[in-house]
Amino acid sequence: MTKRTWVLKDVLELYALPFLDLIFQAQTVYRQHFPAGTMQLSTLLNIKDGGCPEDCHYCPQAARYHTGVKAKKLLSKEVVSQQAHTARELGATRFCMGAAWRELKDRDLPAIVDLIKEVRSLGMESCMTLGMLTDEQAQALKEAGLDYYNHNVDSSPEYYKEIITTRTYDERLQTLQCVQDAGIKVCSGGIIGMGETLEDRAGMLVTLANLAQPPESVPINRLVPVPGTPLENTETIDPFDFVRTIAVARIMFPTARVRLSAGRTTMSDELQALCFMAGANSIFYGEKLLMTGNPEMVKDRALLQRLGISVDQLVNQPQA
Ligand code: SAM
Ligand code: DTB
Ligand code: SF4
């Protein structure tokens, strides 16, 4: 089957559907590709805190903003291994490691390779988000066994320039290309609620859908307004507009994991349930994202149970 090319007009038509029609369509698409009522739990660990030279206006880890985040060194393999073991015991099937870097430096590559091998040996899917990569680095991560690489486009090409000036949209796309060329699956999405228009939201999804290969994983973050960042006073968006983006993403990426990512601590149970109805089938599981909070695990378990949603189980067995 030839790949569909998405145009902005079609995406805006989806956004313009009556809310219930859009949700119904998204849930129908979801059920054609996934078993109904299932959720992936992915645990996130920041392996390198703060001190980042970039100016992403939303980010607590950018060195130039006064957010109280202290720069630290890369975590040791022992610490990461212990966290990954705990995540597995608590039921996560994917372990995502993030670093506050503009780009991966070759001098850090051996340590990163070790971390990937460690997580893979536990039978979990591995994901890394380390900033920009070269072809050679992506190849080395693939050889180490990396399953997914997270690199968000964050917004539309037009609105991106209002949010980040220290690297271009094209550089982001180039890294995604390196990742795909190396045979690593792509996790890429963005942030909703940064002051962007509906067209920007649609434009972001069009960019992702029209990649040579659409991402296998699409994180949709609701902005966490962090004090000290330029976006700290951004107004919260209408919750239904957020749900619409989840639904449109589900329709445009029928086989991808659409992850309800940052921003859940300020969402009601009912809003999260609507996001699941709209086709989100993955969440971050664990009480911290990178720098900011995430719902308590007992609360998440209770919510999923109340909704009759079952969690995905590990398929691969640990090597030892
Ligand atoms: N430094 C690497 C990079 O920028 O690609 C990896 C880590 S970076 C923190 C990963 C993603 O987290 C960003 O691209 C952004 O989409 C998301 N993020 C960061 N701060 C956020 C915030 N305050 N609210 C919502 N999402 C945020
Ligand atoms: C993604 O799209 N969201 C995650 C993950 N990929 C790396 C990060 C969210 C960060 C929220 C703000 C913080 O905790 O620093
Ligand atoms: Fe640095 Fe990533 Fe934060 Fe941007 S989002 S400031 S690149 S850590």
Side-chain angles (χ1 to χ4, degrees), residues 52 54-56 58-59 61-62 99-102 167:
C52 184
E54 297 293 273
D55 76 345
C56 312
Y58 48 74
C59 186
Q61 302 197 76
W101 286 330
R102 175 176 202 270
R167 68 177 136 165

Side-chain angles (χ1 to χ4, degrees), residues 150-302:
N150 168 248
H151 198 63
N152 291 339
V153 294
D154 276 342
S155 196
S156 65
E158 297 77 22
Y159 199 65
Y160 178 92
K161 297 189 200 83
E162 307 292 319
I163 301 295
I164 299 143
T165 68
T166 47
R167 68 177 136 165
T168 65
Y169 206 73
D170 279 349
E171 284 176 302
R172 296 243 170 177
L173 296 179
Q174 217 174 324
T175 290
L176 293 179
Q177 187 66 55
C178 292
V179 170
Q180 290 189 327
D181 289 347
I184 301 170
K185 287 182 256 200
V186 163
C187 171
S188 189
I191 308 179
I192 306 302
M194 298 191 289
E196 74 286 342
T197 62
L198 188 63
E199 284 72 17
D200 290 318
R201 289 173 202 153
M204 172 182 95
L205 295 176
V206 166
T207 300
L208 292 170
N210 292 340
L211 291 177
Q213 197 165 325
E216 283 85 357
S217 191
V218 181
I220 304 293
N221 298 276
R222 185 167 81 170
L223 175 72
V224 180
V226 179
T229 62
L231 295 185
E232 69 173 313
N233 294 317
T234 310
E235 211 180 307
T236 313
I237 60 159
D238 178 342
F240 297 122
D241 286 347
F242 182 78
V243 178
R244 280 180 194 279
T245 295
I246 299 268
V248 173
R250 167 50 64 210
I251 294 165
M252 293 174 72
F253 304 95
T255 58
R257 291 285 172 185
V258 173
R259 183 169 309 112
L260 173 57
S261 300
R264 288 198 302 117
T265 52
T266 50
M267 290 181 198
S268 66
D269 288 349
E270 294 85 346
L271 176 54
Q272 293 187 60
L274 262 185
C275 291
F276 303 151
M277 192 69 199
N281 65 343
S282 177
I283 54 172
F284 282 125
Y285 183 61
E287 277 138 38
K288 198 172 165 216
L289 292 169
L290 296 174
M291 281 297 144
T292 67
N294 199 42
E296 284 175 37
M297 286 179 275
V298 283
K299 225 182 141 231
D300 276 343
R301 285 277 182 187

Side-chain angles (χ1 to χ4, degrees), residues 3-75:
K3 186 169 143 320
R4 171 171 182 178
T5 302
W6 283 90
V7 293
L8 197 66
K9 182 178 147 290
D10 295 344
V11 181
L12 289 173
E13 275 171 18
L14 286 176
Y15 269 101
L17 283 173
F19 185 75
L20 297 181
D21 293 5
L22 176 61
I23 303 296
F24 178 70
Q25 195 176 319
Q27 180 63 206
T28 305
V29 168
Y30 175 68
R31 284 170 187 240
Q32 284 161 358
H33 299 278
F34 289 95
T38 55
M39 188 65 58
Q40 180 202 48
L41 303 182
S42 185
T43 292
L44 190 53
L45 176 68
N46 210 23
I47 57 172
K48 158 73 184 85
D49 282 8
C52 184
E54 297 293 273
D55 76 345
C56 312
H57 287 15
Y58 48 74
C59 186
Q61 302 197 76
R64 66 189 71 203
Y65 308 136
H66 301 285
T67 60
V69 170
K70 289 205 175 70
K72 291 192 186 149
K73 282 207 218 117
L74 184 65
L75 293 183

